[in-house]
Amino acid sequence: MAASKVLIAPFEVTPLDIIPAVSSTARATFASHKTKDLQWRLVQLRKLYWALDDFKPSLLAALQQDLHKGGYESDFTEVDWVKNDCLHMINNLETFAKTEKLKDVPVTYSMMNFRVKKEPLGTVLIIGPYNFPVQLVLAPLVGAIGAGCTAVIKPSELTPACAMVMKEMIESRLDRNAFAVVNGAVPETNALMDEKWDKIMFTGSAQVGSIIARKAAETLTPVCLELGGRNPAFVTKKANLALAARRLMWGKCLNAGQVCMSHNYVLVDKDVADTFIEFLKISYKEMFPNGAKASPDLSRIVNARHFNRIKKMLDETKGKIVMGGQMDESELFIEPTAVLVDSLDDPMMQEESFGPIFSVYPVDNLDQALNIANAVHRTPLALMAFGDKAETTKILDEMTSGGACINDAYFHGAVHTVPFGGVGDSGWGAYRGKASFDNFTHFRTVSETPNWMDKLLRVRYMPYDWSELRFLQRWTNKKPNFDRQGTVAKGSGYWMWFFLGLGTDGGGVKGALKRWLVVVAGYYLSVYVKARRR
Ligand SMILES: NC(=O)c1ccc[n+]([C@@H]2O[C@H](COP(=O)([O-])OP(=O)(O)OC[C@H]3O[C@@H](n4cnc5c(N)ncnc54)[C@H](O)[C@@H]3O)[C@@H](O)[C@H]2O)c1
Ligand SMILES: CC1=C(/C=C/C(C)=C/C=C/C(C)=C/C=C/C=C(C)/C=C/C=C(C)/C=C/C=C(\C)C=O)C(C)(C)CCC1
């Protein structure tokens, strides 16, 4: 799609003195209750869908201008991706928003209609990063609209063209009193943080995330934090090395590796390290036959500061560059680069790359790989595992991460309908699909006591009467099926199931059915054999 002919307004910082009014307008709109109407929310989501369609040329041009992001990636992972997200919310909103009957209620209270009512949290602030400047503010917005919140968005100032197009798009197409965009950097974010919000959703670095969380704590404002991490990839001897190399290369080349989930380093079995590196080079050639610099498909680094941050990692590494290594500051170009390292202290292991460079660290075995990965960063945002079933199971069992992908680069985080989020210092909370709705929703438990029940409720009123309590307890308290050592006691119920299930408690009902099947088959076989003998 041609993106070059579109005119984008120069970046304009929102004046600090209007920020309180922007926030109070959004709060007043929420207080009017109009956002609680599902039809109102659906109309806003439908308008956002068509706004994305109509503004697509401007958004693609802005992504090209800010990040040199090609139209293909911009459409696939930003504009079209959010359109699909919008449709998913529109198509499922009624189900997500439905009041749910609570089933885990003791029979004693079952007539009190316990339920969970889904209520919008209120007015929320969405702060975005630069790497997917459209997706990472608009997907949270889809969740906020779906949940019935009003919202103010603060896009990254490092992608000014995207910020300006989104401001125009949102404020011209959505309810202006409910949704607004504030543009700017630290002073504007600080001014926004001085306002009262019902939730803050922040996507960005762990360093700024902790500033936001600290400030939010002063007013006990809940936060959803989507942060970064030093994400490991594991490649064992049993992995398909060619595929692992190709898929990991994709993960490092999409958006020039400026992807929060992409691998920082690859822990590869030392016996196959050389072969793996050869396959990386082959994949590079296949993806960029004329070299990465000449390709329209490789984004550039967002600015000189980040270019120099990445360059410094390469300058300071003690490792050996085994693929790539070219750079051109005038174009903010960095070639997809692999560095063979042998020390945990290497900057290529310790710092978040957030660019097209990664390290390859040969290991003796999977246990060593897991020890290293847990030492580098115990709670990364993502983890990628290539190996056989037993190995990938071991990796998932012995190391945590926000999300994980087996046999691919971060595909668990590429789909708009499934929950996405970090763990520990890589993030708090999740969103996307139903999780986006839940992220901005208060799950309010409601019960309703009928008038006629009052006689039954006598037991709770003063003056207390021990005999009434004992009576209630005799009828309603459940008995434990375990002793003081924590061992499950084998009572009459256990033995009944033991005999009916033909011995052992393994396999549950399915196991018992299988055993019965064997017995019945054996019986018919013996009848058949006897009949043949006659
Ligand atoms: N988990 C995720 O979904 C996810 C997605 C994308 C990026 N990230 C992470 O984000 C980082 C890169 O993005 P970035 O450089 O735009 O992040 P950043 O933290 O520098 O900036 C994010 C936002 O915070 C604002 N900001 C910056 N400094 C601030 C301060 N001192 N006080 C208040 N606000 C401030 C910026 O204006 C921007 O809008 C990487 O660490 C990456 O891993 C995480
Ligand atoms: C061919 C037919 C079919 C099968 C089609 C298949 C299997 C298609 C596969 C498509 C793939 C692999 C698409 C990849 C998409 C990648 C995306 C969208 C990446 C997204 C990246 C994101 C969101 C990044 C986020 C970054 C963050 C959060 C932080 O920085 C059938 C089976 C459909 C039948 C018809 C024919």
Side-chain angles (χ1 to χ4, degrees):
M1 180 169 301
S4 50
K5 291 200 186 82
V6 182
L7 273 181
I8 297 169
F11 190 60
E12 231 175 72
V13 169
T14 305
L16 287 176
D17 56 356
I18 72 159
I19 288 176
V22 171
S23 139
S24 68
T25 302
R27 275 202 304 275
T29 305
F30 182 73
S32 76
H33 302 295
K34 76 185 205 188
T35 68
K36 291 187 180 156
D37 177 10
L38 277 196
Q39 285 312 315
W40 183 88
R41 300 184 207 176
L42 284 169
V43 167
Q44 296 303 310
L45 287 165
R46 290 176 195 137
K47 286 185 172 181
L48 179 58
Y49 176 89
W50 285 113
L52 281 160
D53 200 62
D54 297 342
F55 279 75
K56 189 186 269 194
S58 306
L59 289 166
L60 297 196
L63 286 158
Q64 175 73 33
Q65 196 169 307
D66 288 337
L67 284 155
H68 196 278
K69 214 182 256 204
Y72 193 98
E73 273 187 22
S74 295
D75 200 13
F76 205 22
T77 67
E78 302 243 34
V79 184
D80 204 46
W81 197 95
V82 184
K83 281 175 70 189
N84 285 326
D85 193 28
C86 240
L87 281 185
H88 184 71
M89 186 59 78
I90 291 167
N91 293 337
N92 292 282
L93 187 59
E94 275 194 30
T95 315
F96 294 165
K98 226 187 194 112
T99 295
E100 277 171 34
K101 193 158 176 53
L102 283 165
K103 297 196 184 87
D104 287 339
V105 177
V107 67
T108 333
Y109 312 127
S110 57
M111 280 148 309
M112 295 174 176
N113 193 10
F114 274 82
R115 63 223 189 228
V116 164
K117 185 169 178 289
K118 319 278 181 69
E119 293 194 345
L121 283 176
T123 301
V124 302
L125 172 63
I126 296 167
I127 304 173
Y130 72 79
N131 61 329
F132 286 84
V134 174
Q135 184 212 127
L136 294 176
V137 294
L138 295 187
L141 178 65
V142 168
I145 301 176
C149 293
T150 57
V152 175
I153 292 168
K154 211 301 281 173
S156 172
E157 74 283 12
L158 302 189
T159 41
C162 291
M164 288 308 286
V165 174
M166 285 193 291
K167 183 170 174 69
E168 192 199 337
M169 179 181 84
I170 288 168
E171 295 184 352
S172 66
R173 295 299 186 88
L174 301 190
D175 184 329
R176 254 195 115 104
N177 292 322
F179 306 106
V181 175
V182 164
N183 276 331
V186 179
E188 291 70 27
T189 315
N190 285 343
L192 284 165
M193 292 297 295
D194 285 337
E195 299 300 313
K196 176 64 189 150
W197 305 98
D198 295 297
K199 186 156 191 173
I200 297 169
M201 170 141 190
F202 171 83
T203 304
S205 62
Q207 191 202 352
V208 179
S210 87
I211 297 174
I212 302 289
R214 225 173 306 149
K215 179 78 180 158
E218 286 173 12
T219 48
L220 293 179
T221 302
V223 287
C224 173
L225 300 177
E226 300 292 345
L227 311 174
R230 281 154 294 155
N231 309 310
F234 297 82
V235 178
T236 77
K237 268 191 268 205
K238 293 184 180 148
N240 180 328
L241 297 176
L243 264 188
R246 184 173 161 78
R247 292 177 179 183
L248 287 171
M249 273 297 284
W250 169 73
K252 263 295 154 187
C253 295
L254 182 84
N255 202 27
Q258 297 165 109
V259 180
C260 52
M261 305 167 281
S262 73
H263 56 282
N264 227 45
Y265 58 96
V266 184
L267 296 158
V268 58
D269 191 295
K270 65 177 184 337
D271 294 346
V272 295
D274 290 342
T275 319
F276 174 69
I277 291 167
E278 284 315 305
F279 279 125
L280 285 175
K281 293 180 192 165
I282 291 170
S283 302
Y284 180 130
K285 272 240 143 22
E286 282 170 359
M287 289 184 197
F288 305 107
N290 300 318
K293 198 170 181 186
S295 167
D297 298 332
L298 188 78
S299 299
R300 296 301 189 252
I301 306 307
V302 68
N303 59 23
R305 177 166 67 86
H306 281 282
F307 176 92
N308 284 307
R309 174 186 62 76
I310 299 169
K311 178 175 181 294
K312 188 162 174 265
M313 285 173 74
L314 288 176
D315 289 345
E316 289 180 359
T317 181
K318 302 242 168 350
K320 178 180 165 212
I321 292 178
V322 288
M323 183 191 78
Q326 298 296 310
M327 287 177 239
D328 180 348
E329 186 168 2
S330 70
E331 277 193 27
L332 299 174
F333 164 77
I334 296 186
E335 196 178 15
T337 300
V339 183
L340 188 64
V341 299
D342 60 5
S343 161
L344 263 188
D345 302 325
D346 198 285
M348 289 297 299
M349 295 294 286
Q350 289 299 330
E351 279 158 41
E352 186 188 9
S353 131
F354 211 61
I357 69 170
F358 61 100
S359 49
V360 176
Y361 190 116
V363 290
D364 295 337
N365 52 47
L366 195 47
D367 284 317
Q368 189 199 5
L370 282 158
N371 285 338
I372 290 173
N374 274 305
V376 169
H377 188 181
R378 199 181 62 82
T379 54
L381 182 62
L383 166 165
M384 282 123 302
F386 298 82
D388 71 11
K389 177 115 183 90
E391 290 167 335
T392 54
T393 305
K394 182 178 165 77
I395 293 167
L396 289 194
D397 286 349
E398 296 185 17
M399 182 168 190
T400 191
S401 59
C405 189
I406 297 168
N407 213 26
D408 207 342
Y410 60 74
F411 213 69
H412 67 282
V415 179
H416 62 280
T417 51
V418 300
F420 168 75
V423 58
D425 63 358
S426 61
W428 300 352
Y431 73 115
R432 293 191 185 167
K434 181 172 182 299
S436 280
F437 177 89
D438 294 351
N439 187 28
F440 294 108
T441 295
H442 170 51
F443 289 75
R444 187 184 193 191
T445 296
V446 178
S447 72
E448 200 170 341
T449 312
N451 290 353
W452 61 262
M453 276 192 83
D454 221 46
K455 280 235 156 51
L456 289 173
L457 305 181
R458 199 351 273 161
V459 62
R460 76 174 189 196
Y461 292 125
M462 300 81 169
Y464 293 139
D465 178 342
W466 275 101
S467 68
E468 282 183 345
L469 181 61
R470 293 270 144 71
F471 180 80
L472 180 73
Q473 287 173 332
R474 202 164 38 249
W475 281 98
T476 59
N477 279 9
K478 292 229 162 107
K479 308 275 177 292
N481 69 339
F482 47 85
D483 64 19
R484 284 183 170 71
Q485 276 66 49
T487 313
V488 174
K490 291 176 176 160
S492 51
Y494 171 85
W495 290 113
M496 189 181 81
W497 274 110
F498 185 84
F499 288 116
L500 284 178
L502 298 178
T504 82
D505 46 355
V509 175
K510 264 196 192 155
L513 282 176
K514 276 187 202 153
R515 289 190 288 276
W516 272 107
L517 208 66
V518 173
V519 169
V520 171
Y523 169 76
Y524 280 109
L525 192 67
S526 70
V527 169
Y528 173 76
V529 170
K530 271 186 202 156
R532 293 276 308 223
R533 280 208 194 118
R534 265 192 238 123

